[in-house]
Amino acid sequence: MSDATETKLKAGERDPNPGAEKGGPQSGVQNSGQENGPNDGLLRGFWYPALESHRVNGRELRRAMLLGVPLVVGRDAQGQAFALRDSCPHRGIPLSYAQFDGRTIECCYHGKFKVERIFAESFPCEEHDGYFWVHIPGPAARGEVPPAPRLPVYSEPYRIVRLSADLPCHVDHGIIGLMDPAHGPFVHQAWWWRSRRSIHEKEKVFEPIPNGFRIRAHAPSANSAFYKLLGVYGEPITTTIEFVLPNMRFEEIHCGPRWFSSRTTVTPVTASHCRIDFCAAWNVFRWMPFMVQLFSAFGRTFIEQDRRTMVQQAEGLKHNPHLMLIDDADRPAKWYFQLKAAHLKAKQTGQPMQHPIPGPVTLRWRS
Ligand code: FES
Ligand SMILES: [Fe+2]
């Protein structure tokens, strides 16, 4: 199915009635320089990775920022992670300046708060996969909070790496960059990945899943050295890619009992900044020395290529250009905006979410 229409997007302009009803891709792409607030295009009512676990030692209190909310993160005497608004409820001095003994936070201005009278705003907080995850509540009354997402792993032991990069743009740009299938041969040129000469016609089947979509399990791209390397196992290789609201891309590769599982999240720090966090675990090539170091080096190069491109893009976005989503290669980006709109509508009306993707769809592009 090819969508030949081009959609003009006025960056930073909000579609007053986004959604699937009009059938066309909807805008809602935001530019940098937005203020945080109800119209900032950020999704509340979800878990976000706030900080890497290794950043907090012992009783330390560390600062983090999610969706413009300043947080202070730490672990109590039992090792339980917690997150509070980084602001003393008395006079607003950041609690990250406080003393913490594992039990009580002693504000650096007037000492302990009287707990019966002053409550610091706290957020659900869990520690998994090497991150402090914090749940930022939606505008509606607090309902039951589901558990924080976890990276799927399939057997023990495995290796794991984490990488991150800050991006000077609205999370929407980070996410549509993340799901953009066409930039690979241009942005990520490398002998071990793919080159411009390797560009060819691609065709993949996408299908709806709760809160997102999936590229149906398929044999991976033959033009990538990494996948060629997996061929040494002599077993069929399949890969699955999923996107799930608000910001997660999962990619899994299975090759007999060997597996590789990764999760990339793009987290809104403020309305004008976001951060990519990439976390991958695997049991492939465990016999290879320095595999973690090697993979981290490759991953870092890869993410740096994306980051550099987004810094360049932010330069252009400052001037509020008209943007467009083109053909099948940008269909996932259109779905992202439609999913966001459908999610918000469901929250507003209390009705079940109307999934914008009716069923399996075949998309074609060159990359
Ligand atoms: S400002 Fe924190 S106790 Fe007064
Ligand atoms: Fe990329």
Side-chain angles (χ1 to χ4, degrees):
M1 219 159 90
S2 175
D3 176 2
T5 58
E6 290 189 0
T7 306
K8 287 275 183 194
L9 293 184
K10 177 84 169 69
E13 190 176 81
R14 309 279 305 147
D15 186 330
N17 185 22
E21 299 95 316
K22 289 178 236 165
Q26 304 305 327
S27 89
V29 177
Q30 306 246 341
N31 274 345
S32 309
Q34 303 276 325
E35 291 292 317
N36 282 103
N39 296 319
D40 57 14
L42 307 182
L43 291 179
R44 292 165 177 80
F46 286 100
W47 288 94
Y48 291 101
L51 190 71
E52 284 189 42
S53 287
H54 71 84
R55 301 270 309 279
V56 180
N57 291 309
R59 304 278 154 79
E60 283 173 348
L61 298 174
R62 283 272 178 260
R63 290 180 176 192
M65 172 86 75
L66 286 179
L67 289 78
V69 179
L71 299 168
V72 56
V73 174
R75 290 184 203 97
D76 67 15
Q78 279 74 48
Q80 198 62 49
F82 64 84
L84 303 170
R85 184 179 284 272
D86 191 16
S87 172
C88 177
H90 183 210
R91 295 276 167 81
I93 198 164
L95 288 175
S96 43
Y97 291 123
Q99 289 295 320
F100 179 54
D101 63 2
R103 242 171 233 280
T104 315
I105 289 185
E106 190 178 274
C107 176
C108 69
Y109 202 170
H110 307 99
K112 294 182 178 64
F113 347 112
K114 298 213 169 37
V115 278
E116 343 59 87
R117 288 175 50 202
I118 309 176
F119 295 97
E121 187 183 352
S122 82
F123 298 86
C125 183
E126 289 181 14
E127 213 179 337
H128 300 303
D129 308 331
Y131 299 92
F132 285 90
W133 289 83
V134 176
H135 187 268
I136 300 294
R142 288 178 187 218
E144 188 129 312
V145 174
R150 289 188 189 238
L151 178 73
V153 293
Y154 294 91
S155 60
E156 305 262 355
Y158 56 84
R159 303 198 189 274
I160 188 161
V161 298
R162 281 170 287 272
L163 298 165
S164 81
D166 293 310
L167 306 178
C169 59
H170 189 275
V171 69
D172 285 352
H173 285 297
I175 287 178
I176 64 178
L178 179 73
M179 56 178 57
D180 175 328
H183 74 280
F186 295 90
V187 173
H188 301 297
Q189 287 184 53
W191 64 265
W192 48 271
W193 186 246
R194 54 188 60 166
S195 70
R196 222 180 273 206
R197 268 177 319 173
S198 72
I199 296 181
H200 63 281
E201 197 77 35
K202 295 262 179 73
E203 176 181 305
K204 298 217 169 106
V205 181
F206 288 68
E207 54 196 12
I209 56 172
N211 262 345
F213 52 87
R214 169 195 298 145
I215 304 182
R216 203 178 266 176
H218 56 283
S221 166
N223 59 2
S224 140
F226 177 71
Y227 292 127
K228 275 183 202 145
L229 202 58
L230 274 172
V232 299
Y233 288 122
E235 292 192 61
I237 308 164
T238 58
T239 153
T240 321
I241 298 174
E242 286 183 7
F243 174 78
V244 184
L245 282 182
N247 66 343
M248 290 182 282
R249 178 190 192 272
F250 293 96
E251 177 160 4
E252 284 185 12
I253 301 166
H254 292 267
C255 177
R258 284 111 187 162
W259 55 270
F260 169 93
S261 168
S262 76
R263 179 191 58 217
T264 312
T265 50
V266 187
T267 294
V269 177
T270 64
S272 57
H273 280 84
C274 58
R275 189 187 63 244
I276 294 190
D277 289 295
F278 172 79
C279 172
W282 66 86
N283 76 346
V284 289
F285 306 131
R286 288 184 22 88
W287 41 267
M288 234 166 105
F290 306 114
M291 187 55 194
V292 167
Q293 291 84 341
L294 212 65
F295 186 83
S296 299
F298 286 161
R300 225 172 282 127
T301 308
F302 209 84
I303 287 191
E304 175 56 21
Q305 290 164 337
D306 280 325
R307 193 196 62 82
R308 210 183 313 131
T309 308
M310 297 243 168
V311 168
Q312 292 169 339
Q313 187 191 7
E315 248 179 68
L317 292 176
K318 275 199 297 234
H319 308 291
N320 223 22
H322 278 272
L323 305 175
M324 38 179 131
L325 295 172
I326 306 170
D327 295 342
D328 276 9
D330 278 337
R331 189 75 76 85
K334 294 173 196 172
W335 286 336
Y336 164 64
F337 289 114
Q338 291 170 355
L339 279 166
K340 260 178 94 172
H343 166 80
L344 290 172
K345 189 169 176 192
K347 284 270 162 205
Q348 232 171 39
T349 59
Q351 298 295 308
M353 177 171 149
Q354 293 272 305
H355 204 295
I357 310 167
V361 182
T362 302
L363 301 186
R364 294 181 185 86
W365 66 86
R366 289 176 63 75
S367 79

